[in-house]
Amino acid sequence: MSGPSVREGPGRAERLGRGLENTLLAAVLFAMIGLAAAQVVIRSAFDGGLAWADEALRLLVLWAAMLGAVAASRDNVHLRIDLLSRFLPGAWRRLAAVLVDLFAAGVCVVLAWYSWRFVAESREFGDQVFGNLPAWTFQAILPAAFALIAYRYLAGLHKHFRPPVPAAGSGPA
């Protein structure tokens, strides 16, 4: 009896990562919508509100945006302005896709680096949220997300060199 193949390992890791990302994104969105709705009801019904809710909502929006960007890079459904590649022949189209992905990865590496410095300075200065919690723990999503997006662009470069898969039913009979 042989052990699991090398091919099975990344599949499980990919599924686990996808599940974790989806769960985190859903939890953040649910918390954001629930907290915003609660804040509206409390303000309307009781002429008050939760003092910490606005700060929490800003942080939840940051997390939702970054987790959404990570998910978009995972599924390759991010925003693209890709007019030129429609007119390029196959080999040139692949080269353009590689260059675009390398550029995007480079931008994400720079953003990860500067957001890492921002978080480090926030930690050094002792910035706080919600009165007494360190802000850097909530801001750490920035360098983590940008680094993960850069990794995904770089790790996906090999896909541009695969031969195109024919559509179902278009092969020889």
Side-chain angles (χ1 to χ4, degrees):
M1 177 183 255
S2 65
S5 72
V6 174
R7 189 154 174 82
E8 290 176 19
R12 278 191 225 138
E14 175 70 25
R15 285 191 304 274
L16 179 64
R18 181 179 289 267
L20 179 63
E21 288 172 9
N22 289 344
T23 301
L24 274 173
L25 185 56
V28 166
L29 289 173
F30 181 75
M32 189 170 61
I33 292 167
L35 182 57
Q39 185 75 331
V40 167
V41 169
I42 292 170
R43 282 183 180 165
S44 297
F46 303 107
D47 203 26
L50 303 171
W52 51 269
D54 291 336
E55 189 172 24
L57 285 169
R58 281 192 296 274
L59 290 171
L60 287 169
V61 167
L62 171 69
W63 275 71
M66 297 312 297
L67 290 170
V70 166
S73 72
R74 170 192 72 201
D75 295 330
N76 201 22
V77 293
H78 45 80
L79 179 63
R80 282 188 188 255
I81 302 172
D82 202 14
L83 180 64
L84 183 61
S85 70
R86 291 176 176 250
F87 302 107
L88 294 173
W92 288 101
R93 185 178 302 139
R94 286 191 295 276
L95 177 62
V98 167
L99 292 175
V100 166
D101 284 358
L102 284 172
F103 179 77
V107 168
C108 287
V109 165
V110 169
L111 288 170
W113 169 253
Y114 280 105
S115 59
W116 175 260
R117 290 184 56 192
F118 167 75
V119 171
E121 286 181 12
S122 180
R123 183 176 184 201
E124 181 181 330
F125 290 124
D127 294 344
Q128 296 180 336
V129 292
F130 305 116
N132 61 353
L133 297 176
W136 71 267
T137 58
F138 297 94
Q139 299 162 343
I141 186 70
L142 290 165
F146 284 125
L148 182 55
I149 294 168
Y151 166 77
R152 286 204 169 133
Y153 277 116
L154 293 173
L157 286 175
H158 67 90
K159 295 176 185 174
H160 299 300
F161 298 104
R162 291 184 188 159
V165 177
S170 65

